[in-house]
Amino acid sequence: MTPADPSGSQPQPLLLATSELLSLAKAGDARALDSLMARYLPRLRRWASGRLPMRARSLFDTGDLVQETLLKTFERLDHIEVRGPGGFQAYVRAAVLNRMRDEVRWADRRRGSEEVTDALEDHGPSPLDMAIGADVVARYERALASLDEEDRMLLHLRIELDYDLGEIATHTGRATKDAARMAVTRALKRLADAMGHGH
Amino acid sequence: MATDRDRLTESLSGGEPIDWALAEKSAVSEEDRSWLRALRDLERMTEFHHSLQAGVAETEATTVQERWGDLLLLERWGSGANADVYRAWDTRLQREVAVKLLRLQGPAEDAAALAEARALARVRDPHVVMIHDVATHDGRAGIEMEFLHGPTLEEEIARRGALPALEVARIGAQMARALAAAHAARVVHGDVKPANIALEPESRAVLTDFGVGKRSDVSASGPFSGTPMFMSPQRLAGATATAADDVYALGVTLRWALGGAAPFAAQSLDELRAAAGRGDVQALPPGAPAALVTAIAQAIAPEVSARVASAQALAEALERAAGALAPVHAAPGGGWTTTQTIIVAVVAVLLAGATFLMTRPRPKPAPPNPLIASEAYDVSATLMKYGARGSAGLSEGDRVRPGDRLSVNVRGTLPLYVYVLDADDKGESYLLFPQPMFDQKNPLPASSDITLPGARGGKPSAWTVTSRGGHEHFLIVASPSPVAELEKDLASLAAPMPNKPIAYARVGDESIERLRGVGGVDELPEAGSGRRSRMNAAPASKASAAFEKIRALAGRESGIRGVWVRAVTLRN
């Protein structure tokens, strides 16, 4: 086995910020795409598995769906309005949730269900709903949507993908772990403010 | 409480514990309390996701920077004494795979293990784990294979206890077919057990872990667990594993699944030898179906001479048992039944729009085909989709989705031998039609509209798309005479059995190469019309690409001599 960059003359792709990887990927750097895939696929798959309603779990493979969504995003990087890493994260997150809705809707139709609904939640609780409560999840989503892209990215990385602050510093191009901590703290506070108002 | 809010959010962002009792004491207003509830919800949200992501960080930290050839190692999936298994990303073909990297003692052992893997790669069965590549990179030998997502049968039994008889019979039939295919290729599994059976979506069981690079010695005495339970008396006595031992191990596996517990009550290897030698199995719960119990009993007969003769024979017995147990369901929307539904395995791989014929290497020129000089004829062929939104003809690049049913409408001015092939993005090609179980047979009559695959047992059938991702490449071949290369693949099919899963003939590379030669890709049949290739050869320009697409859309050709071929690539 060899390291990703045996020469050591170039930065390790895994140590580059997502924005840098996106730029390289747009320029056709296959290693950057590989690194983005390696960076996000495993965690996105696990995150998505927590959002899929229990009753819909037998309908399709969440892992395949996330992988396909991520690949399609990469294929269309030039055509997607992704202003920065925040936009990229927001796009992928929304794309995965939308794909899950589409798949469930198609499965309903295929099974001849009389009622075909667009709401993922109508297919029963997800593991997250069961752990936290569907009302809290809904409030969280509303509050998250009210924040800007940068905050949403930081919270997605910290809360949903469980990256530690050092990794977030790397991914978001911040100089230090403390800088990442400060940014995440501010985003969390704004999120709690928005959720608190919904109580 | 402004300062507290800063401190509390900082604690949460850093993953530090929060003293909620103390925080609540400092809350002086309803707004403070609402805010605290929100932050506590976020802590629970964080904890939930932390548990969901457990294990990812360690595997990323140790593996994501490693490569093995074209594979980017994403996650260590498991480790054994002689190998590590990783979930990996094939950067060349853009697909998720599993790779088993061997840790053996030396070049001789590596070579032997890789030879075993290559033998396994020749086994063609949908219920045998698919081997993509066998290679050595940077001094480390490994086997790239299909990535399996499902739980193992062992996990399923642990979770659910005894499984329903029909499920056991179906899993058993699939595994017996898999073993029959392996044995036909002179591959003995040697370690059939519930932990080596993966239960994939769409009721597909897959036999894994063919013991490549493993040793399976049985110690002479002492406590044991796992594998010895599935060993025949002959193996427990020290004999080398044979096909009959695989059949026995599958029987024990199925007995375990049916009863929900180990079939032999033994606490030591000596006790197991004695119990297995006597055939002294634990009683099953009352009500176990006789046909299934008998089939399993014949598989675990202590004496080889009394054991069911082969994996093939066991598969047939289990299929009969499953057939007797299976309820007949009318599927919604037009008289399709589950037993008439044919599965088209669609793999989640993206391959940048290339059709499988054009991507295959062409090592040598194909010999001339005598069929090219035959009588001229007309043919039309349209790939049809029956989905939730009704039926429609399919054109190059159209999208299909899981649940869509596909058929081919054909009409010719001569009696025609028609073949329908499907290739997945892995490059595997299957012959979907003709198949022995369909009422429709070649040659198809002239001047009639024929829908393929046709009826099965008098009821209409179709190919059903069951999973998504990537591309699906269909090839429709017509000829006034049998196409020898495809007929050869057809001859490898087993006779049809009621209710058994359909085993499609895999079309070998040689057949495809031969077809290229006769189908007009490289050797254009001169029909006097001056037309160029009827295949979707790689277009030289946008204009020619459009031209090819229009030709594909037209669905009709005339004045054909010899073999006619059309390729349609669909997205799914």
Side-chain angles (χ1 to χ4, degrees):
Chain A
M1 272 177 291
T2 56
D5 178 26
S7 71
S9 59
Q10 297 292 324
Q12 292 277 346
L14 291 161
L15 299 179
L16 295 178
T18 298
S19 59
E20 294 166 318
L21 288 175
L22 285 169
S23 297
L24 289 170
K26 279 187 179 183
D29 186 325
R31 276 192 357 158
L33 275 181
D34 292 344
S35 296
L36 281 167
M37 183 64 83
R39 176 173 291 181
Y40 290 116
L41 181 60
R43 293 186 189 239
L44 272 173
R45 290 175 67 151
R46 296 194 184 203
W47 165 72
S49 73
R51 303 303 295 257
L52 184 64
M54 305 296 273
R55 287 213 308 266
R57 298 185 85 77
S58 62
L59 300 179
F60 52 87
D61 187 309
T62 323
D64 286 351
L65 180 150
V66 172
Q67 180 177 306
E68 190 185 332
T69 305
L70 205 50
L71 276 171
K72 284 188 174 157
T73 304
F74 293 152
E75 282 178 351
R76 302 183 62 228
L77 275 180
D78 282 339
H79 309 286
I80 297 170
E81 180 63 25
V82 177
R83 287 182 295 278
F88 169 75
Q89 292 285 356
Y91 181 90
V92 170
R93 185 182 189 276
V96 170
L97 289 173
N98 286 337
R99 273 296 304 276
M100 287 202 287
R101 287 191 188 95
D102 284 350
E103 293 294 333
V104 169
R105 194 163 56 237
W106 269 99
D108 279 349
R109 286 187 175 141
R110 196 174 68 220
R111 291 179 306 179
S113 293
E114 290 180 6
E115 190 175 345
V116 176
T117 170
D118 283 353
L120 210 53
E121 298 74 21
D122 290 346
H123 292 79
S126 67
L128 180 62
D129 293 332
M130 293 173 75
I132 310 295
D135 57 330
V136 176
V137 176
R139 203 159 55 244
Y140 168 80
E141 286 292 335
R142 281 196 302 272
L144 198 63
S146 71
L147 304 182
D148 65 25
E149 276 181 357
E150 180 73 5
D151 279 356
R152 290 208 301 270
M153 173 188 65
L154 290 164
L155 295 165
H156 179 55
L157 293 173
R158 184 72 188 106
I159 295 177
E160 297 181 333
L161 301 188
D162 194 40
Y163 279 110
D164 66 32
L165 294 169
E167 291 166 319
I168 291 173
T170 301
H171 294 186
T172 61
R174 284 175 168 78
T176 64
K177 184 176 165 181
D178 281 344
R181 181 176 187 141
M182 193 176 296
V184 170
T185 300
R186 286 177 185 150
L188 261 176
K189 188 162 177 292
R190 283 190 277 269
L191 181 63
D193 288 346
M195 285 180 73
H197 289 141
H199 264 290
Chain B
M1 167 152 178
T3 306
D4 277 343
R5 289 188 184 190
D6 290 342
R7 185 177 53 78
L8 290 169
T9 45
E10 189 171 357
S11 295
L12 183 56
S13 72
E16 293 152 9
I18 294 173
D19 185 339
W20 290 106
L22 187 65
E24 279 163 15
K25 277 184 190 168
S26 66
V28 294
S29 66
E30 184 52 37
E31 190 206 342
D32 283 346
R33 283 187 282 276
S34 289
W35 188 90
L36 272 182
R37 280 198 295 275
L39 195 68
R40 196 155 192 179
D41 287 339
L42 287 174
E43 184 191 53
R44 291 162 58 216
M45 184 82 73
T46 304
E47 285 172 354
F48 171 82
H49 285 100
H50 179 68
S51 66
L52 206 61
Q53 302 286 354
V56 171
E58 297 81 47
T59 53
E60 279 177 345
T62 56
T63 65
V64 289
Q65 295 186 54
E66 294 182 323
R67 296 182 78 102
W68 184 77
D70 287 324
L71 304 187
L72 189 67
L73 306 184
L74 297 177
E75 191 172 358
R76 185 179 291 119
W77 210 248
S79 292
N82 301 308
D84 297 309
V85 179
Y86 292 86
R87 189 167 64 79
W89 182 252
D90 188 325
T91 58
R92 187 170 50 89
L93 297 176
Q94 293 283 287
R95 65 180 172 188
E96 187 177 41
V97 297
V99 60
K100 185 175 189 175
L101 299 182
L102 305 181
R103 282 193 273 109
L104 294 184
Q105 301 303 313
E109 287 84 353
D110 278 5
L114 295 185
E116 288 177 50
R118 289 190 182 101
L120 179 58
R122 287 194 289 274
V123 177
R124 302 298 181 93
D125 187 274
H127 302 291
V128 172
V129 64
M130 188 173 289
I131 304 293
H132 299 318
D133 194 16
V134 178
T136 300
H137 295 292
D138 303 311
R140 193 160 187 190
I143 302 146
E144 179 185 348
M145 63 189 94
E146 171 185 14
F147 184 81
L148 299 168
H149 295 271
T152 66
L153 179 58
E154 182 182 50
E155 291 165 342
E156 203 64 3
I157 295 169
R159 189 173 70 85
R160 295 163 58 194
L163 303 185
L166 176 58
E167 197 173 336
V168 173
R170 284 179 171 163
I171 292 169
Q174 292 182 11
M175 291 302 89
R177 288 279 171 204
L179 283 177
H183 295 164
R186 301 187 175 190
V187 172
V188 172
H189 188 289
D191 197 15
V192 177
K193 57 184 178 181
N196 286 340
I197 296 172
L199 303 177
E200 293 294 288
E202 308 295 345
S203 302
R204 177 187 173 228
V206 182
L207 187 57
T208 68
D209 206 356
F210 271 71
V212 174
K214 288 198 306 186
R215 296 181 181 81
S216 51
D217 303 329
V218 183
S219 60
S221 61
F224 65 91
S225 63
T227 303
M229 179 61 74
F230 303 92
M231 289 183 177
S232 68
Q234 294 75 31
R235 281 207 73 198
L236 288 169
T240 304
T242 66
D245 298 317
D246 279 348
V247 168
Y248 180 92
L250 178 57
V252 176
T253 296
L254 299 179
R255 194 62 159 61
W256 193 314
L258 193 59
F264 299 109
Q267 299 301 315
S268 70
L269 197 54
D270 287 339
E271 285 182 23
L272 177 64
R273 283 195 185 100
R278 292 192 304 269
D280 188 9
V281 292
Q282 304 264 53
L284 284 169
L292 178 59
V293 173
T294 301
I296 295 173
Q298 288 172 344
I300 57 175
E303 295 298 329
V304 175
S305 58
R307 206 170 294 161
V308 63
S310 64
Q312 172 78 18
L314 177 59
E316 290 166 5
L318 291 167
E319 282 157 3
R320 282 193 295 274
L325 290 166
V328 176
H329 294 297
W336 302 90
T337 68
T338 51
T339 53
Q340 293 151 5
T341 300
I342 301 162
I343 295 171
V344 178
V346 181
V347 295
V349 180
L350 296 174
L351 197 61
T355 64
F356 72 108
L357 283 174
M358 303 313 300
T359 59
R360 288 180 181 275
R362 192 157 181 273
K364 57 187 176 187
N369 187 342
L371 295 174
I372 286 175
S374 60
E375 183 184 351
Y377 62 96
D378 294 356
V379 63
S380 65
T382 308
L383 195 58
M384 300 291 295
K385 174 177 83 171
Y386 305 87
R389 296 167 178 169
S391 63
L394 288 167
S395 303
E396 179 74 17
D398 279 356
R399 179 173 285 281
V400 291
R401 309 194 61 133
D404 284 340
R405 297 179 177 108
L406 308 180
S407 67
V408 172
N409 290 351
V410 187
R411 185 184 179 93
T413 54
L414 288 179
L416 292 174
Y417 287 80
V418 175
Y419 308 83
V420 182
L421 290 77
D422 166 51
D424 58 26
D425 277 330
K426 293 175 185 171
E428 297 291 349
S429 309
Y430 295 86
L431 190 55
L432 299 182
F433 182 86
Q435 288 280 339
M437 74 289 295
F438 296 128
D439 300 347
Q440 198 67 260
K441 307 290 182 195
N442 276 331
L444 305 181
S447 305
S448 299
D449 292 312
I450 310 285
T451 300
L452 302 178
R456 186 183 183 204
K459 296 182 179 177
S461 298
W463 301 291
T464 299
V465 178
T466 57
S467 58
R468 62 179 310 113
H471 297 85
E472 197 71 10
H473 313 287
F474 287 89
L475 196 67
I476 306 165
V477 181
S479 167
S481 307
V483 177
E485 293 301 319
L486 295 176
E487 293 290 335
K488 186 184 70 180
D489 290 310
L490 266 177
S492 67
L493 286 176
M497 294 289 295
N499 298 316
K500 84 167 196 184
I502 294 167
Y504 289 109
R506 289 210 186 182
V507 182
D509 288 2
E510 289 180 5
S511 301
I512 295 287
E513 288 302 322
R514 173 77 176 142
L515 204 56
R516 280 168 61 99
V518 302
V521 179
D522 300 295
E523 297 180 12
L524 303 181
E526 292 301 326
S529 61
R531 283 182 289 112
R532 56 186 291 269
S533 166
R534 284 185 286 269
M535 290 290 296
N536 56 345
S541 66
K542 285 185 179 177
S544 65
F547 180 64
E548 291 295 338
K549 283 197 173 181
I550 290 165
R551 294 172 64 81
L553 283 165
R556 185 173 179 86
E557 299 276 357
S558 59
I560 300 146
R561 293 178 190 275
V563 179
W564 174 89
V565 184
R566 165 161 295 136
V568 180
T569 295
L570 305 176
R571 296 177 298 146
N572 64 60

